[in-house]
Amino acid sequence: MLLPRRAVLFLSACFFLILLLTARSLSRPWRDVPQVIGLGDLTTSHNASGSGSTRWNISRGHNPNDLYAPPPNFIPGTPKPPGYKYTKTMVVARTKQEDTTWIAEELPDWERAVYVADDPSAPLHPPKNKGHEVMIYLTYIVDHYDRLPDVAVFMHSHQVAWHNDNLFGGDAAELLRRLNLNRVVREGYMNTRCGYGPGCPAWMHPGAIESDESKQEETMLARAWGELFPDEAIPNVLAQPCCAQFALSRDRIRSIPHARYVFYRDWLLGTDLSDYITGRIWEYLWQYVFTGEAVVCVEETVCLCDGYGFCFGGNEEFREYQALEAKVSELQGDMASWMWFADNLDFADENDGGAGEDDISLQEKIEGAEKQITKTLEAAVERGKNPKNRALEAGRPWKDGDGF
């Protein structure tokens, strides 16, 4: 049956209108429709370290609240007046076998939140033993978001570890006794390790496709980044000193919405990436989460002086101190080799009980170098007691009356 002419004309007009609207929709870039998918315009820039960073361009009137994850507003903190007693908590990840009694003994003035990763019956425990310390750090923030201390330090359970800088003898307790809480409040985020290796200045390359045994997580970083930070372009480099121990101010933690931490933890709970790999991945994500920077490699002299009160006077003076340390290590190695040969090949002089001229000469050199180290360290600590010296070495403003 033929349709009336008027009906045919009406249907043809409708069909044409549908085609016109469809073509117009297909020709419009996806990023120009934030009201559909919640995204704004992306622009990518590169900083001096070579890492790409993505920022949102809202010049077209797009509301940053339309973004999937609006970037935090990281504002430097203001230290309290001299004499103010900061509230401070150690957040510690441990297993049932690990002993953390040293914390109460060595640091009685610190509050403690010790989570037991593999004991669901412990007073503090994560929802799942996965991701090493990552799950515990995120769980603490999720659970305590509304009752945080001024400063929270996130650490492993062992008191002595190689990744606690040599100036503390590897001792976490000594590190925390010297930690400048004013710097933590001012910076918001501070890696407790000052030494660059491993981690700085350009350690992880998320675009890598060839596996490196020393950093097995590298080839998984791009995938994890896309899932965790879908609004942000993948950086060329991710770097900070190892090894997932850092201090945060309350304001810095709260600059990120509570729901975001829940999202990070849900990702950790749900990902098919292994416990080992997820823990290693996050070791080089924390600095981005809390600073918005892919590379956070603070000069060692600044970290040691402003962070811990070891003020050597500058980079050149610090390199001289490092050279002294290297000299002592070399001499001690020579001494150990000489003693081995003396004990095993009868090179020792039987008349003096095995102490030859070479032995005495080496020992004198070691003692002399060690005295120089002690003298240099004492001078650095004395210099670090003056807040003006700490400010000058850190390259930040200072005025009379500042106690930080």
Side-chain angles (χ1 to χ4, degrees):
M1 181 180 68
L2 294 176
L3 292 172
R5 178 180 177 80
R6 186 174 296 176
V8 172
L9 290 174
F10 176 75
L11 290 174
S12 297
C14 291
F15 181 69
F16 178 77
L17 182 60
I18 292 171
L19 285 177
L20 181 63
L21 291 173
T22 301
R24 186 176 178 183
S25 175
L26 291 174
S27 67
R28 183 168 55 181
W30 65 268
R31 64 181 185 179
D32 286 341
V33 284
Q35 68 273 21
V36 176
I37 58 174
L39 296 176
D41 288 336
L42 275 172
T43 57
T44 302
S45 60
H46 295 270
N47 57 33
S49 64
S51 61
S53 61
T54 304
R55 294 293 178 264
W56 290 96
N57 178 357
I58 58 173
S59 59
R60 297 188 183 183
H62 296 158
N63 188 335
N65 292 325
D66 288 337
L67 306 181
Y68 181 76
N73 187 17
F74 294 130
I75 301 173
T78 302
K80 299 295 185 181
Y84 178 85
K85 297 295 183 182
Y86 289 106
T87 56
K88 52 190 181 180
T89 298
M90 281 184 68
V91 182
V92 179
R94 78 172 183 93
T95 62
K96 288 186 290 187
Q97 289 74 32
E98 291 172 329
D99 181 16
T100 55
T101 56
W102 64 269
I103 300 174
E105 295 169 358
E106 299 280 349
L107 301 163
D109 57 331
W110 281 78
E111 294 295 323
R112 300 171 295 282
V114 181
Y115 284 75
V116 186
D118 54 352
D119 185 3
S121 65
L124 293 176
H125 63 272
K128 185 177 182 180
N129 183 14
K130 184 179 182 182
H132 291 206
E133 71 281 338
V134 183
M135 182 71 75
I136 284 167
Y137 292 0
L138 290 173
T139 296
Y140 173 81
I141 293 175
V142 168
D143 292 349
H144 296 81
Y145 190 85
D146 294 323
R147 53 185 191 279
L148 293 165
D150 293 321
V151 171
V153 178
F154 298 78
M155 301 196 76
H156 303 159
S157 62
H158 28 266
Q159 179 177 358
V160 179
W162 67 267
H163 50 73
N164 297 326
D165 286 298
N166 290 339
L167 287 174
F168 313 111
D171 187 346
E174 180 62 17
L175 181 154
L176 289 176
R177 279 192 287 266
R178 296 201 62 88
L179 178 64
N180 180 8
L181 301 184
N182 290 308
R183 178 174 175 82
V184 178
V185 169
R186 184 173 53 251
E187 298 295 321
Y189 170 85
M190 177 182 165
N191 194 316
T192 62
R193 178 171 169 80
C194 297
Y196 269 23
C200 285
W203 183 241
M204 289 290 170
H205 300 83
I209 56 176
E210 294 186 8
S211 179
D212 183 334
E213 187 63 28
S214 67
K215 41 184 177 178
Q216 300 172 31
E217 67 275 22
E218 189 172 48
T219 56
M220 296 291 104
L221 272 169
R223 169 192 161 180
W225 185 279
E227 295 171 354
L228 289 164
F229 313 110
D231 290 340
E232 303 287 342
I234 299 171
N236 298 325
V237 174
L238 284 168
Q240 72 165 332
C242 82
C243 297
Q245 295 192 141
F246 50 86
L248 286 166
S249 70
R250 174 174 53 228
D251 290 344
R252 184 53 56 97
I253 294 174
R254 288 184 181 167
S255 66
I256 300 168
H258 180 268
R260 196 68 188 149
Y261 296 111
V262 174
F263 167 76
Y264 291 147
R265 191 174 67 171
D266 285 348
W267 175 87
L268 190 58
L269 288 166
T271 183
D272 60 357
L273 295 174
S274 71
D275 169 61
Y276 173 77
I277 291 297
T278 50
R280 292 291 294 267
I281 283 173
W282 270 85
E283 193 170 323
Y284 295 97
L285 294 183
W286 293 115
Q287 83 279 8
Y288 185 80
V289 168
F290 292 113
T291 71
E293 298 292 336
V295 176
V296 178
C297 294
V298 179
E299 285 191 15
E300 288 184 64
T301 51
V302 173
C303 177
L304 289 170
C305 179
D306 199 33
Y308 298 103
F310 290 107
C311 298
F312 292 89
N315 286 325
E316 184 176 344
E317 291 81 0
F318 180 58
R319 300 299 171 232
E320 291 174 358
Y321 171 79
Q322 288 182 309
L324 272 176
E325 282 193 319
K327 180 180 179 180
V328 168
S329 294
E330 182 182 355
L331 289 171
Q332 288 174 336
D334 291 343
M335 173 67 81
S337 297
W338 191 93
M339 293 299 293
W340 185 90
F341 280 110
D343 289 343
N344 290 277
L345 300 178
D346 292 329
F347 281 179
D349 185 346
E350 294 180 0
N351 296 324
D352 61 13
E357 292 183 4
D358 289 342
D359 182 9
I360 295 172
S361 176
L362 279 172
Q363 187 62 39
E364 288 176 344
K365 289 179 180 179
I366 291 172
E367 290 175 357
E370 286 179 336
K371 286 179 180 178
Q372 276 186 278
I373 286 178
T374 299
K375 184 178 179 180
T376 303
L377 270 180
E378 288 175 349
V381 171
E382 190 62 32
R383 192 180 294 111
K385 292 178 181 178
N386 187 329
K388 184 176 181 179
N389 291 336
R390 297 197 298 271
L392 289 174
E393 200 152 333
R396 58 179 171 79
W398 185 87
K399 64 181 184 301
D400 286 337
D402 288 344
F404 48 83

